[in-house]
Amino acid sequence: MADPVFEAIEYLATTRVQWTLGPLRLQAQARPPGLWVEARRSGDPFDPGWAREELSAEDGDGDEGPPVIFQRLFAGFTPPFMVNLRPRLADRPIITRPEMEVVLGPGVSTDVYLSSPLWIEVCVGGEALCELPTWRASDTWFGPDTTHGVLGYAGRTSLRTQRSEVYDTPSRVATLATISNRQSRPVVLDRVALPMPNMGVYRDRDGRFWSDSVRVHCLEDKEAEVTITAPKSAQGLALERVGGPREIARSDGFLEAFSAVMRGTS
Amino acid sequence: MWEQIREFFADEVVRERSVAVLIALVGFVFARLISRAVEGLVRRQGGPQAALLARRLSFYLVLGVAVMVALDRLGLDLGVLLGAAGVLTVAIGFASQTSASNVVSGLFLMGERPFGIGDAIQVAGVEGEVLSIDWLSVKLRTWQNTFVRIPNETIIKSEVINLTRFPIRRVDLFLDVAYDQSLEEVERVLLDLCYRLEFVLAEPAAFVRVSEFGASGMRVGLLAWVQSRNFIEHRTRLLTEVKRAFDSEGIVIPFQQIVVHQSNEDAQPGH
């Protein structure tokens, strides 16, 4: 879909553009000897702002407003050059903890929608210069103990089961997770790790971002396994793939361990 | 010119010596190639320090064989040479017991692998990044950018703390708060702060505990987890933010004070 936010812009000597991407306010300005990039972030992770605005030299530097989180001068570009933004997914897994205790009965399977912040890549001439998350979630640890595991970003979810309940802001990425309990006893779902670096990113007609879907199987012998699949066609969404995964998942499609943490009901 | 060269090499002694030098040179090149290949193979399995050791070992082994073949070509009796080497080894052995001990300690270190190149360690009162693990010593770069050589034997005998073995570490901050302060309020402020700071891990969750009642206030501990990388920066930032949060919430960090009570009898005039 055509979205001015992701359209390439020809930068001349005085070009200065500001993008509002949810809580992230990104500004890029042609400044000798290259491209000056500055980012600020507001305090609302679900800020609905989404726009591109060309600023003139008379506009102030915008010292007021949210604090600056990123400033860099990328040298080596002489106007005219083309600048564009590209959507990406997080560079680490998103570890989502349900806001309430969720129990899955034996043999039960359920679809839930999870959401995570979109990442944005700034490109010149099609080459990536830097990338920033629209919202910086807290770091977290996911593993059986403090010596084995992976670092990720923390997320919380109320386990929305309807597509319409997903946050309707373009700066969030929705992921459909099908969680099935293949154990012979009920389990409590503590946390789910979405392997964002292994997933592609898509966009629907309404401008919302989607990632690949995941199937999380709670097995008898292991903690859980996760399979990455293309977003379900049954969702009735006309999805366009707008970005590939950062890392290629193992060829058999299964990711090793730590995809979910469950415990038996007491 | 060619005639002169041919005449030069017509002498058998010169020819043999030239062949010996050629063998040594080819051996040197071969040793380098072999050692690099071995290093590449070992690096995949055993890490950088094992790869470094394997490279050196294979290099000197191949070069040693080439030198011995070259010496044999020169007509040297290797039996005599090896005998002399044996005697020399015993003599050197007596003279270099410390070095031998360091070598053996180095082998234990490489086998046990309590740390690797690039790890941050604390040993014998020194803290820094491991630059190399060698036969005789471990080289460190301290945080003050000084170079420290620690003999392997010292490391084997000392307590070694590997500061970056695991990706996450706990920051333990202990603070005094005034007795008239609500502990629940202090706990709420500290945990809210940890929730807001993105570098404090959401899990394992931070927690607050009261450790003792001190002379000037209650000793409260904030125990929060962060990434091991940039630990010092994270700890400093957390301390700074705690001070800022306490200031904005009106929580007082008491300083040492003594309350002196004067008895009424002493206070009466005329006595």
Side-chain angles (χ1 to χ4, degrees):
Chain A
M1 65 168 290
D3 181 347
V5 163
F6 292 106
E7 280 175 11
I9 306 162
E10 184 177 30
Y11 263 65
L12 304 173
T14 57
T15 308
R16 185 172 155 208
V17 177
Q18 177 172 290
W19 292 267
T20 304
L21 308 151
L24 186 72
R25 208 169 77 194
L26 188 68
Q27 221 179 86
Q29 182 180 4
R31 183 184 292 184
L35 182 72
W36 170 257
V37 178
E38 182 187 277
R40 294 166 183 265
R41 196 181 285 127
S42 71
D44 178 12
F46 304 108
D47 189 329
W50 191 260
R52 189 187 81 182
E53 186 184 358
E54 287 208 34
L55 304 176
S56 66
E58 288 78 44
D59 290 320
D61 279 343
D63 287 339
E64 69 289 346
V68 173
I69 54 155
F70 180 90
Q71 269 183 336
R72 201 163 291 173
L73 177 64
F74 295 94
F77 303 108
T78 311
F81 53 80
M82 301 300 287
V83 175
N84 71 293
L85 303 186
R86 266 201 307 237
R88 298 298 305 266
L89 296 182
D91 62 349
R92 296 202 303 240
I94 301 282
I95 318 299
T96 303
R97 179 183 275 281
E99 284 171 355
M100 67 201 88
E101 192 169 89
V102 176
V103 181
L104 286 176
V108 166
S109 176
T110 183
D111 283 355
V112 292
Y113 290 91
L114 307 169
S115 110
S116 59
L118 181 73
W119 284 51
I120 295 291
E121 205 170 59
V122 181
C123 305
V124 171
E127 294 297 319
L129 291 184
C130 60
E131 61 175 335
L132 293 156
T134 53
W135 175 256
R136 173 65 164 85
S138 284
D139 289 337
T140 193
W141 180 252
F142 189 71
D145 54 46
T146 54
T147 61
H148 298 92
V150 290
L151 276 164
Y153 298 110
R156 291 190 78 79
T157 178
S158 50
L159 290 181
R160 291 167 175 80
T161 53
Q162 298 296 318
R163 185 166 67 89
S164 55
E165 294 173 342
V166 178
Y167 292 118
D168 195 10
T169 162
S171 66
R172 306 287 297 182
V173 182
T175 302
L176 172 65
T178 305
I179 301 166
S180 59
N181 177 15
R182 294 186 180 172
Q183 298 192 16
S184 53
R185 60 193 172 93
V187 292
V188 178
L189 188 70
D190 265 344
R191 284 173 289 163
V192 176
L194 295 178
M196 307 311 281
N198 304 114
M199 294 157 80
V201 58
Y202 303 79
R203 204 163 190 206
D204 67 18
R205 276 190 300 246
D206 300 328
R208 284 178 299 202
F209 286 97
W210 294 83
S211 74
D212 279 318
S213 299
V214 291
R215 290 172 184 275
V216 181
H217 308 292
C218 313
L219 305 174
E220 290 282 0
D221 54 338
K222 294 181 185 175
E223 283 195 322
E225 270 181 351
V226 63
T227 321
I228 297 172
T229 58
K232 270 186 183 174
S233 56
Q235 290 177 78
L237 301 166
L239 293 174
E240 180 193 354
R241 189 176 163 105
V242 290
R246 292 169 186 270
E247 301 161 15
I248 303 299
R250 277 175 24 182
S251 56
D252 59 5
F254 281 97
L255 300 174
E256 197 98 47
F258 304 149
S259 55
V261 170
M262 284 111 9
R263 57 188 156 87
T265 51
S266 52
Chain B
M1 169 106 174
W2 284 113
E3 195 57 38
Q4 284 175 324
I5 292 172
R6 196 175 298 134
E7 271 180 29
F8 181 73
F9 282 108
D11 185 344
E12 195 178 341
V13 176
V14 171
R15 199 167 57 234
E16 286 301 312
R17 283 180 183 174
S18 303
V19 170
V21 169
L22 197 66
I23 288 171
L25 283 175
V26 170
F28 178 77
V29 173
F30 200 57
R32 290 201 69 160
L33 291 174
I34 292 272
S35 61
R36 281 185 187 174
V38 168
E39 184 188 18
L41 281 173
V42 175
R43 189 178 289 275
R44 268 177 254 156
Q45 302 289 329
Q49 75 268 25
L52 194 70
L53 176 69
R55 192 186 79 186
R56 287 180 180 170
L57 209 65
S58 53
F59 176 78
Y60 288 116
L61 196 71
V62 175
L63 187 66
V65 170
V67 168
M68 281 168 71
V69 172
L71 290 174
D72 185 48
R73 192 84 190 185
L74 287 174
L76 254 74
D77 186 351
L78 287 178
V80 174
L81 198 69
L82 288 175
V87 173
L88 197 67
T89 305
V90 172
I92 291 172
F94 277 116
S96 58
Q97 284 182 44
T98 309
S99 301
S101 167
N102 280 323
V103 169
V104 173
S105 301
L107 289 173
F108 282 125
L109 273 181
M110 284 162 194
E112 193 184 349
R113 283 201 267 183
F115 51 79
I117 292 170
D119 280 351
I121 64 165
Q122 200 178 67
V123 61
V126 182
E127 193 176 303
E129 180 194 352
V130 178
L131 295 178
S132 70
I133 303 165
D134 295 324
W135 286 105
L136 297 175
S137 61
V138 167
K139 275 88 174 179
L140 295 186
R141 183 184 68 84
T142 67
W143 309 136
Q144 295 77 32
N145 206 31
T146 53
F147 179 87
V148 180
R149 175 190 178 278
I150 305 176
N152 288 339
E153 192 184 357
T154 308
I155 291 179
I156 285 287
K157 286 178 179 170
S158 311
E159 179 185 273
V160 177
I161 300 173
N162 189 331
L163 303 167
T164 50
R165 178 67 164 259
F166 304 122
I168 58 171
R169 272 180 78 182
R170 201 177 72 187
V171 180
D172 294 355
L173 296 184
F174 287 93
L175 317 145
D176 286 340
V177 293
Y179 277 108
D180 56 0
Q181 203 70 55
S182 153
L183 277 174
E184 288 77 15
E185 179 67 3
V186 171
E187 183 176 10
R188 182 193 64 77
V189 168
L190 290 174
L191 293 183
D192 279 358
L193 174 69
C194 290
Y195 183 75
R196 283 202 316 273
L197 297 174
E198 61 207 25
F199 63 88
V200 175
L201 300 188
E203 293 183 33
F207 64 100
V208 174
R209 73 169 198 215
V210 180
S211 62
E212 63 176 303
F213 296 118
S216 305
M218 296 173 286
R219 176 139 282 215
V220 174
L222 169 63
L223 299 94
W225 290 81
V226 297
Q227 285 192 53
S228 300
R229 199 178 57 183
N230 303 330
F231 178 82
I232 302 291
E233 287 89 332
H234 291 329
R235 190 178 189 282
T236 307
R237 170 107 190 270
L238 189 55
L239 265 173
T240 312
E241 294 291 341
V242 165
K243 175 73 169 69
R244 193 171 291 155
F246 275 15
D247 287 350
S248 74
E249 297 283 340
I251 296 172
V252 178
I253 299 176
F255 47 86
Q256 196 79 31
Q257 51 189 300
I258 299 168
V259 178
V260 180
H261 294 278
Q262 192 174 28
S263 73
N264 286 336
E265 285 180 12
D266 293 346
Q268 285 174 7
H271 288 270

